[in-house]
Amino acid sequence: LVFRFSLFFFYLFKINIVVVADIYALVCVDFAPNEAFTIPFVSGIDIHYSQQFGLYEGRYWMPMDIRLIGGFDINVPGFSFPKFIVEQASVLYDYSINRVLADSIFQKKRVTELPTAKTFDSLFWAQHDVLPLTHEEQHAYKTLDSTQSLDIQFRPSGAAMTLSAGGSLGFLSYLNIRYNRVEGPFLGLNYSRDSVISRLSLNGAAGYGFIDKKPKFTFGGSFFLDAGRRYKLGVEAYREFENIPDERYYPSLVIALGALFTKNDYRDYYYADGWRAFIEAKPLRRLSIRLLYKNEDQSIAVKSTDFSIFDKSRPFRSNPRILEGAMRSLTLRARYGDEPVPFGLTTQNSAEVEIEHSNPAILASAFDFTRLIFRGEMRINTYSDRLLFPPALNLKLTAGISSGTLPPQRIFALESRFDGVAPMGVLRGGEVKEFTGHRFVALTAEHNFRSTPFLILNIPYLYKNSIELILHGTVAQTWSSSPLPFGATTNGWYSEAGVGISRILSFLRFDLTYRFAQPRSLFVTLGVAQII
């Protein structure tokens, strides 16, 4: 008599166990992921891991095989992948149980390579084919092109792939297209070539702004000092269109679309003409250091257009005036931790310090200031560590101080939502460039409960689709030692808090945030869901 029963195992798997009732012998086990086992962008997971056990020498129940069978789908908006099917089987046989072993065996090295180990004996395997190929496997070996590696056979398709370097329109990766209230439409080309000769790399870019009627270019190269590419020297000459430094939460394409469609240009701009040299070092896997010398003439950029597709009657906000002159500065950047991930898809445990110094006496600069920024991120798992992606508290701290006379092009500004889009770390209730200063601090805390609330409430549609619940809050403040050229200080502590729903359609996030600072209000924003 054989009994079969099922149970949930370690929150993530369900297991079927088959035993012989009268002797309680285990003859079969089968593992499969349950509803709590979720992986971002992966759906339809139906994978079974199983083992069968046989009786040997009349008393020992030993594994006879190990099988993995099933499939899953990968769903990324803009991409489509073939369904992944997994079939794997291993056979265990020819047991020799409780053999007498010579004492000399235990005195040998842990790993010993036999002289015949690298010799392939086709006759031996033909005579010991304990698991013959199936008809489908035999057909696959005869028909599949051996030059078709996995990345070719499973290459994604879809609209996003078409526009990338991997698609038929991959040449778009060389284009530099943008739109803003100073240049108007800008069209340019980018090109870089790695290992031109040995360790030398070259890069270049050129383009033209059709409203400000100014050509721009960048040309440079870098040389790796060691074979491991941990140390690099580089130099660039340029006549470029720069922006007052920000945390780069929004890529240029998003800013261009905002300016073109909603007449909202996130950045403030100026012109820079000169050269820079840098040295980069990565002495440890998670430690990177960069020293940059910049020598450039900075000049004012003015708003040149009010064109947008919609809301044509409302003008763009003006572009702040900078202090013109020769900027000669040294910037040291040191970061410990993994490099930032675009769009904030993951929270990296990291700490980064950036110091910029400009001095007329030493560097013959027109400016005299020191500017320091600290950036830190941390993720702390809070409970249910047995889950594949446990609930976590994510923290992000950014702070900056300055000394000397900080020019307008180096003023700090708190990052804010942009056209209803708000990644973690920005003020979801703040306006673009609303708060500025010579010093600032901003702390954001988010607790991602994952799908556990919906599991507790037994709402299958939400937890099966990996919908996540997030509570978040931000506090920030700016200070100024002199009148500000644009924006204003927070005049005390700014605070906001809200709730978010993440993984809508697998990658979107919806947040409802209340701003406690005047003018108080409720804000709705969208973002990109974090992967982990």
Side-chain angles (χ1 to χ4, degrees), residues 306-320:
D306 276 317
F307 174 80
S308 69
I309 295 177
F310 303 107
D311 203 3
K312 297 181 179 181
S313 61
R314 179 172 60 89
F316 277 111
R317 65 185 180 90
S318 61
N319 190 62

Side-chain angles (χ1 to χ4, degrees), residues 2 57 59 131 146 219:
V2 175
E57 298 186 5
R59 59 183 300 187
L131 186 65
S146 61
F219 178 76

Side-chain angles (χ1 to χ4, degrees), residues 356-477:
E356 182 180 16
H357 178 69
S358 180
N359 188 298
I362 301 176
L363 302 174
S365 175
F367 306 97
D368 186 6
F369 68 90
T370 300
R371 186 176 186 267
L372 183 148
I373 300 178
F374 173 81
R375 306 175 181 96
E377 294 184 31
M378 180 180 293
R379 184 178 72 246
I380 305 170
N381 294 339
T382 52
Y383 63 92
S384 296
D385 283 337
R386 292 175 177 177
L387 294 177
L388 182 62
F389 298 106
L393 175 65
N394 297 317
L395 300 172
K396 178 174 287 189
L397 173 66
T398 311
I401 60 174
S402 64
S403 63
T405 304
L406 204 61
Q409 57 267 40
R410 289 297 184 268
I411 291 281
F412 297 114
L414 295 182
E415 305 293 342
S416 68
R417 75 183 191 282
F418 175 57
D419 275 347
V421 176
M424 178 185 172
V426 308
L427 305 183
R428 292 186 169 90
E431 301 294 338
V432 174
K433 310 302 179 185
E434 179 180 1
F435 300 118
T436 58
H438 298 106
R439 293 175 292 152
F440 83 99
V441 62
L443 173 64
T444 297
E446 293 189 350
H447 191 277
N448 189 335
F449 291 89
R450 305 296 182 186
S451 298
T452 56
F454 309 121
L455 278 166
I456 295 172
L457 295 173
N458 193 24
I459 308 177
Y461 177 81
L462 295 181
Y463 66 71
K464 286 184 177 180
N465 287 280
S466 303
I467 302 299
E468 298 175 343
L469 177 68
I470 302 172
L471 296 181
H472 57 82
T474 298
V475 293
Q477 187 171 358

Side-chain angles (χ1 to χ4, degrees), residues 20 34 39 45 55 57 83 89 130 169 191 194 212 231 263 291 307 398 402 404 425 459 472 482 521 525:
V20 179
N34 63 23
I39 301 176
I45 301 177
L55 183 62
E57 298 186 5
K83 186 177 181 66
V130 295
L169 299 180
Y191 183 76
D194 191 20
D212 68 351
Y231 303 95
K263 195 165 280 188
L291 181 63
F307 174 80
T398 311
S402 64
I459 308 177
H472 57 82
S482 60
S521 187
T525 56

Side-chain angles (χ1 to χ4, degrees), residues 40-101:
F41 309 114
V42 178
S43 63
I45 301 177
D46 184 21
I47 297 179
H48 289 259
Y49 173 90
S50 61
Q51 269 191 320
Q52 296 184 87
F53 297 80
L55 183 62
Y56 291 84
E57 298 186 5
R59 59 183 300 187
Y60 301 107
W61 290 87
M62 305 296 294
M64 298 170 55
D65 61 12
I66 301 173
R67 297 181 182 271
L68 187 68
I69 186 169
F72 57 90
D73 296 297
I74 294 181
N75 302 307
V76 180
F79 297 86
S80 60
F81 294 85
K83 186 177 181 66
F84 287 78
I85 302 296
V86 178
E87 290 188 21
Q88 186 270 339
S90 300
V91 175
L92 305 173
Y93 66 100
D94 198 17
Y95 280 101
S96 182
I97 301 174
N98 291 337
R99 285 182 56 186
V100 177
L101 301 176

Side-chain angles (χ1 to χ4, degrees), residues 77-355:
F79 297 86
S80 60
F81 294 85
K83 186 177 181 66
F84 287 78
I85 302 296
V86 178
E87 290 188 21
Q88 186 270 339
S90 300
V91 175
L92 305 173
Y93 66 100
D94 198 17
Y95 280 101
S96 182
I97 301 174
N98 291 337
R99 285 182 56 186
V100 177
L101 301 176
D103 293 339
S104 59
I105 291 180
F106 300 100
Q107 298 175 0
K108 291 185 176 182
K109 296 180 179 179
R110 284 182 175 270
V111 178
T112 303
E113 182 178 325
L114 294 176
T116 58
K118 295 182 180 180
T119 303
F120 179 73
D121 188 346
S122 58
L123 178 61
F124 172 86
W125 291 108
Q127 295 175 345
H128 296 80
D129 191 7
V130 295
L131 186 65
L133 295 176
T134 65
H135 174 74
E136 292 80 4
E137 290 169 337
Q138 292 176 354
H139 179 71
Y141 274 110
K142 292 178 180 179
T143 57
L144 286 181
D145 186 351
S146 61
T147 64
Q148 298 262 338
S149 57
L150 283 176
D151 64 323
I152 297 177
Q153 295 183 31
F154 286 92
R155 176 174 291 167
S157 58
M161 193 64 186
T162 301
L163 297 176
S164 70
S168 57
L169 299 180
F171 68 90
L172 291 178
S173 62
Y174 299 108
L175 289 180
N176 183 8
I177 302 174
R178 60 181 183 245
Y179 179 80
N180 55 74
R181 64 191 187 280
V182 175
E183 294 177 297
F186 174 91
L187 179 62
L189 294 173
N190 297 314
Y191 183 76
S192 61
R193 179 70 181 272
D194 191 20
S195 301
V196 177
I197 53 171
S198 185
R199 302 169 185 171
L200 177 65
S201 299
L202 296 177
N203 64 279
Y208 185 77
F210 288 90
I211 298 298
D212 68 351
K213 302 187 186 305
K214 290 181 180 292
K216 290 93 178 177
F217 69 86
T218 300
F219 178 76
S222 58
F223 182 79
F224 290 95
L225 302 178
D226 64 320
R229 296 198 164 202
R230 294 186 300 168
Y231 303 95
K232 180 171 68 172
L233 289 172
V235 64
E236 289 182 328
Y238 54 89
R239 179 175 296 162
E240 258 304 345
F241 184 66
E242 296 285 354
N243 62 275
I244 295 177
D246 58 35
E247 295 301 305
R248 298 195 173 274
Y249 282 104
Y250 307 105
S252 298
L253 177 59
V254 172
I255 294 175
L257 293 176
L260 189 60
F261 287 94
T262 65
K263 195 165 280 188
N264 190 1
D265 194 347
Y266 187 79
R267 287 178 173 153
D268 298 319
Y269 308 98
Y270 62 92
Y271 296 108
D273 187 354
W275 62 276
R276 54 184 167 245
F278 61 88
I279 180 169
E280 294 180 356
K282 199 173 180 66
L284 302 174
R285 185 182 67 85
R286 303 190 68 199
L287 176 63
S288 59
I289 302 171
R290 188 175 197 259
L291 181 63
L292 168 70
Y293 173 73
K294 183 179 294 185
N295 185 340
E296 64 186 28
D297 292 320
Q298 298 178 346
S299 56
I300 293 172
V302 298
K303 185 182 71 170
S304 303
T305 181
D306 276 317
F307 174 80
S308 69
I309 295 177
F310 303 107
D311 203 3
K312 297 181 179 181
S313 61
R314 179 172 60 89
F316 277 111
R317 65 185 180 90
S318 61
N319 190 62
R321 296 176 66 87
I322 68 166
L323 286 180
E324 295 186 317
M327 173 72 78
R328 296 182 178 93
S329 67
L330 277 172
T331 302
L332 175 65
R333 172 186 172 271
R335 179 182 178 87
Y336 183 79
D338 296 326
E339 288 300 313
V341 176
F343 305 110
L345 292 176
T346 64
T347 298
Q348 307 281 18
N349 290 326
S350 63
E352 179 179 315
V353 176
E354 181 179 316
I355 306 174

